[in-house]
Amino acid sequence: MKTIGIIGGGQLGLMIAEQARLLEVRTVCLDPAADAPAGAVCDDHIVGRFDDPEAVEELCRRSDVVTYEFENVPGEILIPLCEKYHIPQGYRPLYDSQDRLREKSNARDHGLQTPRFAAVDDEASLRAAVADMGLPAVLKTRTLGYDGHGQLVLRSEADIEQALPLLAVPCILEEFIPFDFEASIVMVADRERIVSFPIGRNVHRDGILDLCFVPAEVDAEVLRRMKSQSERFMRACGYEGILAIEYFVRQGEIYFNEMAPRPHNSGHYTIEGATTNQFRELVRYLVGQPLEEPRLVAPTVMKNILGQDLEAAERIAREPQEGVFVHIYGKSESRPKRKMGHITFVGMTAAEYARAWADRFV
């Protein structure tokens, strides 16, 4: 029986481990928290820091193949291990996604349309970029930003002054795209083929994904272009394994926003809403099994459960209903805006969700 090592023990590691078990594959995770969610499902759990070379190498020694469930694995640790152990996705997709300037440049250089952007390191370069690009624009830290952290929309001179503390670290200024909606695609690729999951339309609240509606109610030609250009990009970059890409869509134009070389929050709907799911196909890739082309089971809505939604989600879990699937991640501490679970509503449209369920949450 093969063993997958997972760098990270959060909810993504938990769901990878759940699917691995169904495929009779062992898992071991590395996480600094003794009560990390994945630890409850994995066959083994190494308690250690992601920046501890000995802990990461111990995970590699105990595994036949290694993957990661988050982007911020230190490169100076992972790069040499890619040469010694079987880490089939390699370091490159992580490297390309860890710096927003590098990520945007890589997307543009491989054929994707991006918002205009410029590197910003101090007040002078910020003001020069604003003068060239105009306002509104979005200032973001180049590294470690997620779920709306490390970014600020600039609409006026006062916003520029307010943004100056962000320049304590290298930043990027991006053109503000007044998009009609955001959409995302999740793909899994081996050397033979790429399988793509149905594209979802995403709704954010306070910079965090709130809802994903699948299928995205978008012109079919836009979806076709998004799928084909995403697959071309993945091949052009030489990426294998799993990749999620978020796009802004405005009047039929598609703009690359960001990518993640791991399972994606917007793809959680696939567990019940598709014939196979993002975690299962990642496991298949990792252990060398043939990939399966996914199909949508029915219109599906995925609702993110943050700390403020947890009590409502637990009430729903105690009231079983057909087509409603509640996932609670088992995190020991609940707090506002922390991802605590998700609910998938299979056989439901966006309009039906708005009528019957939206008012159940804060």
Side-chain angles (χ1 to χ4, degrees):
M1 182 183 292
K2 290 188 176 180
T3 298
I4 295 174
I6 307 168
I7 303 175
Q11 65 264 21
L12 300 181
L14 166 71
M15 289 181 274
I16 292 170
E18 288 174 338
Q19 294 301 314
R21 179 165 290 182
L22 293 175
L23 293 173
E24 299 184 337
V25 175
R26 295 184 75 258
T27 51
V28 52
C29 67
L30 167 67
D31 197 278
D35 59 353
V41 178
C42 287
D43 298 279
D44 201 358
H45 177 193
I46 300 170
V47 178
R49 301 192 317 274
F50 307 127
D51 60 354
D52 180 350
E54 292 183 3
V56 179
E57 184 147 15
E58 177 64 20
L59 176 78
C60 293
R61 280 197 295 267
R62 294 194 199 179
S63 308
D64 296 297
V65 60
V66 175
T67 189
Y68 30 75
E69 64 129 34
F70 75 121
E71 287 94 326
N72 298 316
V73 183
E76 63 272 17
I77 293 175
L78 197 60
I79 290 174
L81 294 178
C82 287
E83 299 174 1
K84 293 178 61 178
Y85 300 98
H86 189 30
I87 308 175
Q89 287 180 270
Y91 180 70
R92 190 74 209 188
L94 270 182
Y95 177 80
D96 291 340
S97 67
Q98 285 176 329
D99 180 312
R100 285 186 167 114
L101 179 63
R102 188 162 59 233
E103 180 183 51
K104 284 288 193 307
S105 300
N106 180 62
R108 180 194 59 199
D109 293 347
H110 287 93
L112 298 183
Q113 180 173 220
T114 71
R116 289 183 296 159
F117 61 90
V120 172
D121 300 310
D122 52 28
E123 183 176 356
S125 57
L126 172 60
R127 292 189 178 278
V130 167
D132 178 62
M133 200 174 300
L135 296 177
V138 187
L139 182 67
K140 302 178 180 180
T141 57
R142 283 174 50 175
T143 61
L144 301 179
Y146 65 96
D147 288 344
H149 297 283
Q151 59 182 272
L152 187 66
V153 178
L154 309 182
R155 302 182 186 276
S156 66
E157 171 66 28
D159 291 332
I160 296 175
E161 293 292 334
Q162 184 182 347
L164 295 181
L166 275 183
L167 299 177
V169 296
C171 290
I172 179 174
L173 187 72
E174 298 180 8
E175 175 188 12
F176 181 85
I177 301 294
F179 55 89
D180 301 326
F181 59 90
E182 184 192 277
S184 56
I185 183 171
V186 178
M187 303 166 287
V188 179
D190 59 18
R191 295 185 180 181
E192 303 299 322
R193 63 189 300 210
I194 300 176
V195 299
S196 298
F197 289 87
I199 294 168
R201 176 171 65 86
N202 302 330
V203 176
H204 287 75
R205 181 174 61 175
D206 298 328
I208 304 173
L209 181 66
D210 184 34
L211 294 159
C212 182
F213 301 108
V214 192
E217 295 172 352
V218 185
D219 181 83
E221 173 59 19
V222 172
L223 296 180
R224 186 199 64 77
R225 282 191 284 122
M226 192 179 297
K227 179 178 184 291
S228 62
Q229 74 177 31
S230 299
E231 293 178 353
R232 283 198 306 271
F233 171 77
M234 198 170 184
R235 283 297 187 223
C237 293
Y239 298 155
E240 290 187 9
I242 191 164
L243 185 73
I245 304 179
E246 296 179 358
Y247 292 99
F248 297 137
V249 181
R250 182 172 185 264
Q251 298 177 356
E253 291 291 311
I254 304 168
Y255 298 86
F256 173 93
N257 179 33
E258 62 184 28
M259 71 179 203
R262 53 160 173 78
H264 197 257
N265 198 170
S266 68
H268 293 352
Y269 83 88
T270 61
I271 296 174
E272 291 91 16
T275 52
T276 185
N277 63 70
Q278 62 172 344
F279 305 98
R280 186 180 305 164
E281 294 313 304
L282 173 58
V283 171
R284 284 191 170 121
Y285 162 76
L286 291 170
V287 299
Q289 296 181 5
L291 301 180
E292 179 183 321
E293 189 72 40
R295 300 189 313 277
L296 192 65
V297 170
T300 298
V301 177
M302 192 283 296
K303 162 68 178 171
N304 238 0
I305 299 303
L306 306 183
Q308 62 267 29
D309 305 312
L310 185 57
E311 288 188 11
E314 290 173 337
R315 285 195 298 271
I316 292 168
R318 292 192 294 268
E319 307 165 2
Q321 299 186 49
E322 184 177 355
V324 179
F325 302 89
V326 181
H327 296 255
I328 304 297
Y329 302 148
K331 296 182 179 179
S332 57
E333 180 187 358
S334 174
R335 56 181 183 268
K337 298 189 178 183
R338 189 184 192 195
K339 294 174 183 175
M340 302 302 296
H342 71 270
I343 303 178
T344 307
F345 302 87
V346 178
M348 184 172 294
T349 65
E352 290 167 341
Y353 173 84
R355 286 196 300 269
W357 290 93
D359 62 359
R360 302 282 293 268
F361 303 100
V362 176

